[in-house]
Each structure stands twice: as C-alpha cells, then as structure tokens.
Amino acid sequence: MIADKELDARGLNCPLPILKAKKALADMTSGQTLKVIATDVGSVRDFQAFAKQTGNELVAQDTVGTDFISVLKRR
C-alpha cells in the first residue's frame, strides 16, 4: 500500500513508535495516510488501541518478516 508518509520505527520499543506516529500525524492533513514500520511486536496491539483512542482510522496491519506494518488514516 502506498501511503502519503512513511515512518521507520524499526528498533524502537514501546512507546516510541506510537509517540513518533502521533507527531507525524499532527503534521498531516485530514485523510492522509501514514505507514509505520516497526519491529516491536507490541506495536500491533498498541496501534489498534491508539486508533480507537484518537479517532484516527487503522486502515491496515501486516507482518512482513520481522516488520510489523500499520497504516493509519488521519482523522
């Protein structure tokens, strides 16, 4: 999936992928998508909760090798 912005959060542990995604989304306009690539297995669950709490849409989640990919749409 092609996103408007991509964030490489590989090697970062909770809560850094969420914090960096929150900052990136703040600089985006409504409807834009952010692709986050993380290696922290907890990020899958964290991004599900983050989407519910913030109102941003979790468009997709996927695992490719050791990478956990989450795509969020800015509310």
Side-chain angles (χ1 to χ4, degrees), residues 18 43-53 58 61 70:
I18 291 289
S43 69
V44 174
R45 180 181 65 252
D46 292 343
F47 278 109
Q48 292 168 357
F50 175 76
K52 284 182 184 176
Q53 290 173 353
L58 183 61
Q61 283 191 312
S70 298

Side-chain angles (χ1 to χ4, degrees), residues 12-60:
L12 300 177
N13 292 322
C14 181
L16 289 176
I18 291 289
L19 294 175
K20 290 191 174 282
K22 184 177 180 179
K23 186 174 192 256
L25 285 166
D27 294 335
M28 298 171 72
T29 59
S30 182
Q32 286 188 308
T33 53
L34 173 67
K35 179 179 180 180
V36 184
I37 305 168
T39 49
D40 180 10
V41 69
S43 69
V44 174
R45 180 181 65 252
D46 292 343
F47 278 109
Q48 292 168 357
F50 175 76
K52 284 182 184 176
Q53 290 173 353
T54 62
N56 294 300
E57 181 184 352
L58 183 61
V59 178

